[in-house]
Amino acid sequence: MQFALIYSYDPSTDGPAEAEVEVDQWLALDAELSAAGVTVHESGFHPVDEAKDVTVRDGRVSITDAPRQGSTVAGLYVVDVPDLDEALRLAAEIPTAAYGTVQVRQVVQFEG
């Protein structure tokens, strides 16, 4: 089963206590997931101040700067694990879980 582990936080109020320590935590997590062979995809995102929102209403395309306040998605992992319990266990290991949120969602896999 594939699950997306989507991590987010509010950069105006939250963040890592010690960035250097968090880097080591990320490297350890990446090594664990790689050794287990469960990583399908992983990505971190550039800061939200570089993001754009695109909407289409009545055939008109609107492009605006993304909101700069509130919770923002910082990145994601897609993992292939046996069940939801294992996905939840891995989500709790994501460093952002200590000051933000990690949402776990099963990925739809189309046959084709």
Side-chain angles (χ1 to χ4, degrees), residues 14-65:
D14 301 312
E18 297 180 47
E20 196 171 293
V21 171
E22 185 170 290
V23 169
D24 291 339
Q25 293 171 335
W26 282 108
L27 293 174
L29 177 61
D30 287 345
E32 175 190 342
L33 297 177
S34 180
V38 299
T39 303
V40 174
H41 180 79
E42 65 176 292
S43 292
F45 300 128
H46 285 271
V48 70
D49 63 353
E50 299 175 22
K52 300 290 183 188
D53 285 344
V54 178
T55 58
V56 179
R57 301 292 185 271
D58 298 321
R60 292 184 172 194
V61 176
S62 176
I63 301 170
T64 58
D65 290 339

Side-chain angles (χ1 to χ4, degrees), residues 3-8 26 29-30 33 39-45 73-79 94 96 102-103 107:
F3 292 89
L5 313 178
I6 306 161
Y7 49 96
S8 60
W26 282 108
L29 177 61
D30 287 345
L33 297 177
T39 303
V40 174
H41 180 79
E42 65 176 292
S43 292
F45 300 128
V73 176
L76 65 88
Y77 282 92
V78 176
V79 296
I94 293 177
T96 309
V102 180
Q103 185 179 76
V107 175

